Amino acid sequence: MKITFVVVLSLLTASLPSSASNSCPALPLQPQYSADVPPREGCVCGYVLKNLIVTLNKTFKIGAACSLRWMRSDNHRTIDLKINTASLDDYTDGDLPRGQILLTGKSTLTGRLTYNLGVAGDLRFAPDGNPIATSGTAFSRVVGELKLARPYSPAEFEVPSSFEDSCWSATATINVKDIWVTIGDSDEAGAYPAQYRIVSVINHKAQPCG
């Protein structure tokens, strides 16, 4: 009887999710910061991410959630996904949880690329359609435009010499792998591919800066 009890107890213990299953492996660096800055503290991965509700297209899935919190005037609190659920599909009292989301996956996207000097990012890429999140959701607005955080090189973006000192827009095809999404009100907010490769940039057109 004692042996049977030990075996049953061991099986029950093994079936329970452990805190280690919430920990994250090495995560991609965040491109909006300098190359030696790791993801911020407070990241969770694994089974608890089922409590973060977001409808993504098949190419991407949630790989990590970091420092999720409510920052409403009447409700400043951390969101613990082990015991709470949170939605990125819909606004709650007109707001989304603040924090950072890592989307894992890769895709080749075509859309409009713009170069415009500004503190919130110089290079913006708006892919055609809604290739990341389902159209109409709150999160689809957050990831509807990607910020390309890499030193600007006219040669990389095939910029004609007559446009090198100008702002411009063009049609671009870009390979994207993993996306860090920062939700908030700061200039750092937005969606940043952790890795990207320019496939082609064509039909450059000058546009006003600012």
Side-chain angles (χ1 to χ4, degrees):
M1 180 66 68
K2 183 176 181 181
I3 294 175
T4 302
F5 175 76
V6 171
V7 171
V8 171
L9 182 60
S10 299
L11 290 172
L12 288 173
T13 303
S15 68
L16 295 174
S18 67
S19 59
S21 63
N22 303 329
S23 60
C24 296
L27 298 175
L29 295 177
Q30 296 172 307
Q32 64 268 44
Y33 306 111
S34 60
D36 58 351
V37 175
R40 292 178 177 175
E41 295 180 355
C43 296
V44 294
C45 299
Y47 83 96
V48 297
L49 295 176
K50 65 182 176 58
N51 289 329
L52 185 59
I53 300 167
V54 58
T55 307
L56 301 172
N57 292 328
K58 293 181 180 179
T59 306
F60 293 95
K61 64 179 182 179
I62 299 179
C66 306
S67 303
L68 287 186
R69 59 203 182 278
W70 289 112
M71 293 294 289
R72 299 195 295 267
S73 58
D74 61 340
N75 187 4
H76 287 210
R77 63 182 175 86
T78 299
I79 299 172
D80 184 351
L81 291 177
K82 292 191 294 293
I83 57 176
N84 301 124
T85 60
S87 175
L88 299 178
D89 278 348
D90 302 295
Y91 294 104
T92 300
D93 296 331
D95 204 2
L96 287 176
R98 307 300 173 90
Q100 295 173 307
I101 308 295
L102 173 64
L103 305 180
T104 58
K106 56 185 178 180
S107 184
T108 300
L109 308 175
T110 297
R112 184 169 180 264
L113 177 66
T114 59
Y115 173 69
N116 193 349
L117 290 172
V119 294
D122 298 340
L123 286 158
R124 309 288 186 97
F125 177 64
D128 296 336
N130 290 277
I132 301 170
T134 299
S135 177
T137 62
F139 194 65
S140 69
R141 299 179 180 91
V142 178
V143 297
E145 182 179 71
L146 305 180
K147 296 182 178 181
L148 306 184
R150 196 155 73 199
Y152 175 59
S153 167
E156 180 182 16
F157 298 99
E158 304 177 38
V159 181
S161 58
S162 58
F163 288 173
E164 286 187 2
D165 297 322
S166 305
C167 298
W168 50 265
S169 65
T171 299
T173 298
I174 301 177
N175 289 338
V176 170
K177 181 179 179 183
D178 301 338
I179 300 171
W180 274 108
V181 182
T182 298
I183 304 173
D185 294 328
S186 69
D187 290 335
E188 296 171 352
Y192 299 81
Q195 298 179 44
Y196 69 86
R197 183 178 68 83
I198 304 300
V199 177
S200 67
V201 185
I202 60 173
N203 298 330
H204 294 75
K205 296 179 180 179
Q207 66 174 31
C209 297

